[in-house]
Amino acid sequence: MSASPPPRTRKIPVIVLAGFLGSGKTTLLNHLLRHRAGNRIGVIVNDFGSIEIDAMAVAGQVGSTVSLGGGCLCCAVDVSELDTYLETLTRPAARLDVIVIEASGLAEPQELVRMILASDNPHILYGGLVEVVDAAEFGATRERHPEIDRHLAVADLVVLNKTDRAGEAERERVREAVAATGSVAAVIPATYGRIDPELLFDPALRPDGEEKARQLTFEDLYLEERARETGEEHEGHLHAAYESVDFTSDVPMDPRRLMEFLDSRPGGLYRIKGYVDFGTGDTDHAYAVHAVGRFLRFTPRAWTRGEPRLTRLVLIGSAIDAQALRKELEGCRAPGEPGPETAQDAAHERSMWGVLRYVQQPGDDAQA
């Protein structure tokens, strides 16, 4: 009897949070810690100039972070130190669901991404580069730091922060600047760094039932107090900044067609998650899909007894065409179960397995 992999085998996404000084990175991070969707978040503060200030601001969120002593969570300067801290945060005892690296305001975010992708830690997964932009000060920031164009070009998600202080014309200039870099990143407007956490990570699922009956956490108390002060029952309106598209198919997917879709996925499509059934291509395994920005990974896992053989995907992004995406995915369905009866079928089967073998290689992360 096949069994689902134990929860600990799930890889922990590592998200890089970047942006120039004053863009609102720490404000956004604190917002995530207060609205963490039940997740346990570990934080690495990579700040070379004001580590004590930023680390203390983050560490103040009681019960939402892991402290490595002295009030400072950690400071990663090079790849060897980053690996050390990631090793600490991915230990089973930490029981973390997500790790966020808050980059220095003067850091090169692509270097942090490179470090994560080059890490030998088997418990982590790249969770995306989020670039925070001050919409009201974008022009001035660009004059002081022209390298911001380079940062935008490699971002997976751009958070257009402080939109309450910028007119629509200014917001559009920022969007045009992002597009001019060649970036296909989703652009999400925000005020005070308030974005929906589900853009970055999934709500935590606790199979052991520990979340069903528990004491009130700091997050619970904070949300209750905020609701009383503002009259808001929740911040559900945050989801309006993005769209989520569900796709389910009981017909197996064709590997080559699906890879072509994933390689050419449209701009604004930030995350793809779920499982794929490749039918007779591999009757023993479902394939977990994890895509964020340009990053793409397939991971096989055994079907469990009685589990329906379905493809189930969720696509998340901004300004995406839900109907067009569903139509494209429908076109990725296998036209029929391939068999080795003819030379043509056998050749198709070999080419299909070439695709699957490529995306299965340990540590071999296909990037679109």
Side-chain angles (χ1 to χ4, degrees):
M1 175 179 176
S2 298
S4 298
R8 186 60 187 87
T9 63
R10 184 180 64 82
K11 294 181 182 291
I12 301 173
V14 180
I15 299 165
V16 177
L17 182 60
F20 284 93
L21 297 172
S23 61
K25 297 188 306 297
T26 302
T27 301
L28 190 153
L29 178 55
N30 282 317
H31 168 77
L32 293 177
L33 293 175
R34 296 181 182 119
H35 304 80
R36 54 195 174 88
N39 287 282
R40 298 184 177 94
I41 303 177
V43 177
I44 295 176
V45 177
N46 173 230
D47 197 302
F48 308 108
S50 55
I51 179 64
E52 294 183 2
I53 295 174
D54 284 350
M56 289 299 292
V58 171
Q61 310 310 320
V62 179
S64 298
T65 64
V66 174
S67 174
L68 301 182
C72 176
L73 298 176
C74 52
C75 176
V77 178
D78 57 38
V79 68
S80 62
E81 290 188 349
L82 180 61
D83 278 337
T84 298
Y85 289 122
L86 288 174
E87 176 62 30
T88 299
L89 293 174
T90 56
R91 290 173 183 167
R95 305 181 70 196
L96 294 179
D97 300 295
V98 182
I99 296 173
V100 179
I101 301 177
E102 183 188 0
S104 161
L106 299 177
E108 287 291 341
Q110 60 266 44
E111 284 303 303
L112 290 173
V113 172
R114 181 189 61 79
M115 291 176 186
I116 294 168
L117 294 175
S119 174
D120 294 327
N121 190 318
H123 305 302
I124 65 171
L125 184 70
Y126 176 57
L129 168 59
V130 180
E131 181 78 14
V132 185
V133 174
D134 184 336
E137 299 293 331
F138 178 71
T141 301
R142 205 176 187 190
E143 287 183 8
R144 292 193 305 271
H145 304 287
E147 63 270 27
I148 192 173
D149 286 2
R150 185 170 66 250
H151 297 185
L152 293 172
V154 298
D156 300 303
L157 176 69
V158 176
V159 176
L160 194 56
N161 197 28
K162 306 184 184 180
T163 52
D164 56 318
R165 295 173 47 199
E168 184 54 40
E170 293 173 288
R171 301 179 201 177
E172 188 57 34
R173 275 196 291 271
V174 177
R175 295 189 187 99
E176 290 173 356
V178 172
T181 68
S183 171
V184 294
V187 179
I188 303 294
T191 58
Y192 301 101
R194 293 196 293 261
I195 66 171
D196 193 323
E198 290 190 40
L199 265 171
L200 306 181
F201 45 77
D202 301 329
L205 298 176
R206 305 291 179 200
D208 54 8
E210 66 180 59
E211 294 293 328
K212 293 180 181 177
R214 57 177 172 79
Q215 295 181 348
L216 288 176
T217 65
F218 175 83
E219 180 185 15
D220 297 325
L221 296 172
Y222 171 83
L223 293 176
E224 287 184 6
E225 181 63 24
R226 179 174 177 80
R228 283 195 295 269
E229 291 177 354
T230 64
E232 297 177 356
E233 291 300 319
H234 56 79
E235 289 191 313
H237 62 279
L238 294 174
H239 78 277
Y242 70 94
E243 295 106 333
S244 178
V245 179
D246 296 323
F247 174 80
T248 302
S249 175
D250 57 1
V251 177
M253 307 297 281
D254 181 272
R256 188 167 298 282
R257 292 181 181 181
L258 183 61
M259 287 299 295
E260 288 174 355
F261 166 78
L262 293 173
D263 284 342
S264 61
R265 52 193 185 274
L269 185 55
Y270 173 58
R271 291 179 66 201
I272 304 175
K273 57 186 180 179
Y275 287 94
V276 177
D277 172 25
F278 286 119
T280 55
D282 187 347
T283 57
D284 295 327
H285 296 92
Y287 283 76
V289 180
H290 169 78
V292 56
R294 300 168 179 80
F295 177 86
L296 171 65
R297 179 195 294 266
F298 277 82
T299 307
R301 70 155 176 84
W303 291 105
T304 59
R305 177 173 294 182
E307 181 181 0
R309 302 296 179 98
L310 299 173
T311 292
R312 293 172 172 166
L313 297 173
V314 178
L315 301 87
I316 299 172
S318 176
I320 56 178
D321 187 333
Q323 185 175 356
L325 287 174
R326 287 195 182 95
K327 185 175 181 179
E328 287 189 60
L329 285 169
E330 288 169 0
C332 295
R333 291 169 170 160
E337 292 294 73
E341 288 82 3
T342 67
Q344 183 177 1
D345 287 338
H348 176 75
E349 185 173 82
R350 285 194 298 272
S351 65
M352 175 181 69
W353 274 102
V355 175
L356 292 182
R357 279 197 297 271
Y358 173 71
V359 299
Q360 282 187 67
Q361 294 300 317
D364 182 13
D365 301 324
Q367 296 191 51

